[in-house]
Structures are given as C-alpha cells and as structure tokens.
Amino acid sequence: MVGIIVTQEDVFHSDSRFIAMGIFKDDIDSFTLDQFNNDAENLKKDVISKGEFKGNFGDACLLHINNHKAVTKIFLVGLGKKKDFTHESARLLAGKVVQKVKELGSREFSLALMNELSNDFLSSLVEGLKLADYSFNKYKTDKIKNYQNEVENAFIIASDDNEGLEKIARQASIISDAVNFARDLGNLPPNDCSPSDLARFAAEAGNLPNVDVSVIEYDELRSRELNGIIAVGGGSNHLPKLITMEYFGTKDKEVRCLLVGKAVTFDTGGISLKPSEKMDEMKFDKCGGCNVIAIIKAIAELCLPINVVGIIPAVENMPSGSSYRPGDIIKMYNGKTVEVGNTDAEGRIILADALSYGVKTYSPAAIIDMATLTGASIIALGSNVAALLGNDPRLVDKLIYAANQSGEKLWQLPIFEEHEEQMKSSIADMKNIGGRSAGAITAAVFLSNFVDSTPWVHLDIAGTAWFQEGSSEKSYIPKGATGFGIRTMVRLLMEMSNSQA
Ligand code: BES
Ligand code: MN
Ligand code: ZN
C-alpha cells in the first residue's frame, strides 16, 4: 500500500530518483529544468522542439537524466489548459503517474503539479494515486516474481505551506483505502465469500471505536419473520445472514442515515436460472453490501460526528430443492405480500426486508441503498453511470452534489404512478417483476413500498460496480470491483455531519 507524504520541499531539491512533473499547456514555453542540470534542460528542449510533448492533457514523456546526484528519471505529464483542469483531471493524472512508476519498478517517486496545487487538488491527487495503485493479487501464487515492485512512498510536493494539507491527505487516504478494501471484498470468488464469510469480514472491518457489528443468524431471521431474506437464501447450502454495523459517532440517539447494501454473494438467478454466459460476473452481485461495509469503516476511521447504521442482507441465490419458486407468495417482514414472478429478481426482495427492518429498528432520518439491482439500469444509462431514484428531492440533490464532487456519475430516473401500476399483482399486494419496460424504475418502485415515508434514495450500481463491457478505461479504475459510490457516500456523510438538518 503506497504511503503518501506531503512535502513543501522544492521539487528541484527533491532527492527522489523518479520525479513526475505536471506541466500546463499554458507554461509549455516558459518552464525550465535547468535547476536540475543542463542535461535535463536539453532533453526537455529536445522533446518540445520535436513536438513530442505539447502539454496537452494526457501527453506524457519520460526523460532519462544523466549526471545528477539523485534524479534519474523525469516523467513529464501534460495537464492541458489551466482553465480546464478539474478534480477528475487530477485523479486521472495521478493514476497515470502511478501506473508509470509501477511499470518502471520504482519504489519511490515525487509528484509536483507546477505551482498550481490547491488544497482541493491534493485530495484528488491522493485518491488517484491510491486508487490506481490497487491490484488484486490474493490468488496469484508467484507473488515474489510478479509483485516485488510495490510502490512504497509517494511524495506529493505542495506549493504553499498550509497546515491543513496533512489532514486533507490523511482523510483522502482513509477514504481511498476504504475503496480498495471494498474492491478486495468484491473481487473475492464466490467459493471464498459466502454470506457467513462476508459477516466475518464485516466484523473484522468494524473492529473500531464506536462501531458495533452484529449478525442475525438463520434461526433468528426465521423467528423475526424476515421472510424475504429466508426465501431468497433458501436454495443455498450457505445460510443467509443479516449483517448490521452501527456507528455511533455522537452522544445523541438519532440515526441520521441508514445505509443498506445488497450482498448476493452469487446470483445464479435461482429457479429462474440465468444463462451461463458471463454468469461468473455475478460474484460481483455483493458489491453494494461490500461498499456499505467499507463506508462504515471509513467514517469510523474519520471519527465523523454522526450516527450511521449499515445493514447488509447477505444471501446466495441458488437453484435447488429448497429454493423459492416463481409463483410463491412471500409475507415480508413489514407484513406486505409479494407474488414471485421471477426468482432472479431477488435483490429487491432481500433489500425490502432489510429496509423495513432498518426503518422499524432505527427510525433513521434518511435512507440510502446501493445495489447491483437491474440489467435494465445498464441498458438505460450504460456502464459508467449509476441510476439514482428516490422519494425526497432534497436528499436526491445532496447526493447529486456529492457525486459531482467525487466524479462518480449518477443520473436520476423518475418514478411515476404509471410505473407503480406495473408492479400490481392480482392475488398479492405486489409482484417482484414489472415487465420488460422501465426495469430499473419498477425495481425502485418495489423498494419504495418498504421505506414508509422516510426520505430515501436508491442507487442502482449494476453497471458501475465492476469493470465490465462498456466501462471506459480510467487510470484509477482497475479491472474487477470498483468500489463505485463509496467516495460519494463518505462525502455526503461528511457534509451531513457538518450540518444540523
Ligand atoms: N444481479 C442482477 C442484476 C444485474 C444483471 C446486475 C447484470 C449486473 C449485471 C439482478 O439480481 C437480476 O438478475 N435482475 C434481473 C431482474 C429481472 C428478472 C426483472 C435483470 O436485471 O435481468
Ligand atoms: Mn438476479
Ligand atoms: Zn442479483
């Protein structure tokens, strides 16, 4: 795990062997490297005069420096025009630098954004560095050969000496580490991540001050009549669990936010079996739940003054003699009845019980759920944007604001009465499927029946939870689970903890 050190030392006096320098297009004619030595300056002049480096965003050029006491490589990266530079640019750039450092096998490097490092870009740089450094090696046995080139330290060169910088870097590190932790969980194969494994990982992650993790086991799920979770989990030899993580960061009783995350450790579709093509990707159907575990971990490490509860219904959706069936009618935890039209629409059923259990137990001021809920959300918005739906415009706006800052793209879909019609059943209170049209919306309509009047937002992360067909390449987003949504949520909770209402 790369360590981040913010330093005020002049880049030209750095004793790193590898220096990455971000250069704005505006400065392409004026910046000089002769403060290192003549050799560096001549190499720079050469690449610029030959048009190999123009300072455009995404340009990159590696200079091999001779005759310097420390520096052997200068990696010039183009930042584009100053006026176009954003947080997302900073994350992409930092990610690109880490990729290069790893490729070249350096253990340490310094990164300088020439004269333009505002506090705000610092957090994005840290995120880019840490998120791009991620790799999932747990199952590679040839570790020494392949992974000896771990990057140990990144020195970020700050332009002004501001006391707040350390804290900003530390917070961004905690958040990025939480994202990487969620990726580690999400990437686990289904044979190593059953509902009980996940419960164990949650307990380990929640071993922090002010966090209390508990697991409702099968017998208790039955006696409490959490029948939606019981039904969906019934087909698997691995029993379902309901994991709760309570974080009380303040002395008062009120739970400001309830987080609910879908954790289907493997989704075969059940009796409504999925086709085998890409079925392996359904190991990522637990990512919503993994994210919630990571969010609680992050806010506890940040010691946010806010009370938040995470609830993760964990099941495996399997076909067997004990599976629930199409045609079954389930009496849910809140007493409403659901006619099962398709056992592959399982996420909404377990979320529904978790939502109503959370509302009843904690009376939260707000609820946010995250789930790889529908293929329809991918059809609607693609694999780089998550769908957002909710019943409270103020909460919706807060999420969209936080998402704009984190660079995680969310787009709101509507819920109209006509959509509600689609979920009606002739023999029960509702069905679990609403036909082919508006599938992401009807899934949210289903959930809306289980939150009472609590302000609630649902994030359908089916397209964004892992790198999949249609995902666009980004330096800081690796293959596999992405942790999408965590940075937005932690930002939102930071905002909420700063304000009263
Ligand atoms: N986990 C899937 C949704 C999913 C599919 C996520 C593909 C990511 C990629 C969910 O449980 C599911 O199977 N949904 C069905 C619902 C349908 C039966 C109404 C779907 O989207 O096809
Ligand atoms: Mn399914
Ligand atoms: Zn699913």
Side-chain angles (χ1 to χ4, degrees):
M1 199 188 286
V2 55
I4 306 281
I5 300 123
V6 182
T7 146
Q8 257 100 50
E9 104 191 312
D10 183 340
V11 62
F12 302 112
H13 294 102
S14 162
D15 45 10
S16 290
R17 293 157 64 83
F18 187 110
I19 308 237
M21 287 174 91
I23 309 291
F24 284 103
K25 193 170 177 61
D26 319 59
D27 300 330
I28 193 76
D29 296 322
S30 59
F31 87 99
T32 59
L33 297 182
D34 46 18
Q35 299 95 318
F36 289 113
N37 63 20
N38 285 339
D39 190 47
E41 176 65 11
N42 289 337
L43 287 167
K44 178 215 82 175
K45 281 191 177 136
D46 201 40
V47 293
I48 289 179
S49 66
K50 287 185 176 140
E52 286 170 17
F53 183 79
K54 299 193 173 99
N56 292 328
F57 192 79
D59 277 5
C61 193
L62 184 68
L63 307 180
H64 295 273
I65 309 301
N66 294 310
N67 308 322
H68 190 278
K69 65 178 184 342
V71 181
T72 61
K73 295 183 182 77
I74 298 178
F75 187 48
L76 297 179
V77 272
L79 303 180
K81 295 205 180 111
K82 281 181 195 173
K83 67 171 179 43
D84 299 332
F85 195 77
T86 63
H87 294 286
E88 186 63 7
S89 322
R91 281 185 286 268
L92 291 168
L93 149 94
K96 192 177 167 115
V97 168
V98 169
Q99 285 178 338
K100 192 71 181 176
V101 170
K102 288 186 114 169
E103 180 192 321
L104 296 172
S106 303
R107 284 174 184 274
E108 281 193 350
F109 67 100
S110 293
L111 168 63
L113 265 201
M114 298 308 289
N115 300 325
E116 296 291 326
L117 184 81
S118 78
N119 295 5
D120 235 15
F121 287 131
L122 178 62
S123 67
S124 304
L125 290 174
V126 173
E127 285 178 4
L129 290 177
K130 291 215 136 207
L131 296 178
D133 183 46
Y134 178 80
S135 58
F136 184 62
N137 307 327
K138 191 170 189 284
Y139 292 88
K140 291 278 190 190
T141 52
D142 204 358
K143 285 202 170 58
I144 302 192
K145 188 161 162 226
N146 292 323
Y147 306 107
Q148 60 192 0
N149 294 330
E150 288 287 311
V151 184
E152 278 164 18
N153 288 315
F155 296 88
I156 302 183
I157 300 185
S159 53
D160 53 358
D161 87 273
N162 179 328
E163 297 225 325
L165 292 180
E166 276 296 330
K167 186 174 171 201
I168 288 166
R170 200 166 53 242
Q171 288 185 335
S173 280
I174 288 174
I175 296 167
S176 308
D177 288 340
V179 173
N180 288 338
F181 172 72
R183 290 169 172 178
D184 270 340
L185 290 182
N187 286 330
L188 286 174
N191 56 329
D192 277 344
C193 191
S194 64
S196 57
D197 291 328
L198 196 64
R200 203 177 63 243
F201 300 137
E204 284 164 16
N207 185 9
L208 289 165
N210 304 321
V211 180
D212 190 13
V213 180
S214 57
V215 180
I216 302 182
E217 303 284 348
Y218 187 75
D219 289 342
E220 203 181 337
L221 289 173
R222 282 205 86 109
S223 61
R224 294 205 195 196
E225 298 183 80
L226 285 141
N227 296 329
I229 297 173
I230 292 287
V232 176
S236 171
N237 291 338
H238 301 287
L239 295 177
K241 315 269 166 181
L242 186 65
I243 305 164
T244 63
M245 302 180 79
E246 300 174 353
Y247 169 66
F248 277 78
T250 76
K251 293 250 172 320
D252 50 73
K253 295 262 144 42
E254 191 203 31
V255 172
R256 287 287 293 283
C257 191
L258 172 69
L259 302 174
V260 177
K262 170 180 173 181
V264 175
T265 60
F266 193 66
D267 182 12
T268 65
I271 297 297
S272 313
L273 192 65
K274 286 182 180 295
S276 53
E277 196 193 338
K278 290 200 191 166
M279 197 201 272
D280 59 306
E281 292 192 356
M282 284 299 116
K283 69 180 176 184
F284 295 119
D285 212 20
K286 59 186 178 305
C287 286
C290 298
N291 287 357
V292 168
I293 297 171
I295 293 163
I296 299 288
K297 177 174 156 73
I299 63 173
E301 287 173 353
L302 293 166
C303 303
L304 292 192
I306 188 173
N307 301 338
V308 179
V309 174
I311 302 192
I312 301 110
V315 306
E316 187 179 41
N317 188 19
M318 294 289 270
S320 79
S322 55
S323 296
Y324 78 134
R325 323 156 185 78
D328 281 358
I329 294 179
I330 309 168
K331 193 169 180 70
M332 303 289 286
Y333 178 73
N334 74 349
K336 292 186 182 173
T337 53
V338 172
E339 181 191 2
V340 177
N342 187 317
T343 62
D344 198 11
E346 84 297 339
R348 61 196 75 183
I349 298 177
I350 62 168
L351 287 172
D353 266 1
L355 288 166
S356 47
Y357 173 82
V359 169
K360 180 152 185 233
T361 312
Y362 300 103
S363 308
I367 309 174
I368 295 162
D369 78 76
M370 280 193 195
T372 48
L373 205 59
T374 65
S377 71
I378 313 177
I379 303 296
L381 298 172
S383 307
N384 300 289
V385 182
L388 170 156
L389 301 100
N391 62 4
D392 184 81
R394 280 188 58 203
L395 188 61
V396 167
D397 286 350
K398 284 185 192 167
L399 256 142
I400 290 178
Y401 181 79
N404 282 338
Q405 298 200 310
S406 70
E408 295 177 318
K409 296 192 170 76
L410 303 180
W411 195 258
Q412 188 180 7
L413 297 177
I415 301 179
F416 292 115
E417 271 171 35
E418 288 84 344
H419 298 119
E420 289 169 358
E421 291 294 320
Q422 285 178 245
M423 297 307 279
K424 298 226 159 104
S425 159
S426 54
I427 51 173
D429 296 336
M430 68 193 95
K431 295 183 294 188
N432 79 330
I433 49 169
R436 270 175 59 82
S437 65
I441 298 177
T442 52
V445 165
F446 183 90
L447 298 179
S448 71
N449 286 293
F450 299 89
V451 296
D452 294 343
S453 54
T454 316
W456 154 77
V457 163
H458 158 62
L459 299 179
D460 192 332
I461 56 171
T464 55
W466 73 96
F467 193 96
Q468 56 190 254
E469 187 187 338
S471 297
S472 66
E473 298 269 353
K474 286 192 184 150
S475 61
Y476 66 91
I477 302 194
K479 298 285 179 290
T482 58
F484 180 101
I486 296 171
R487 289 184 298 111
T488 297
M489 278 309 309
V490 174
R491 247 177 215 282
L492 175 77
L493 295 170
M494 287 170 101
E495 285 288 325
M496 280 185 172
S497 69
N498 278 330
S499 68
Q500 285 314 300

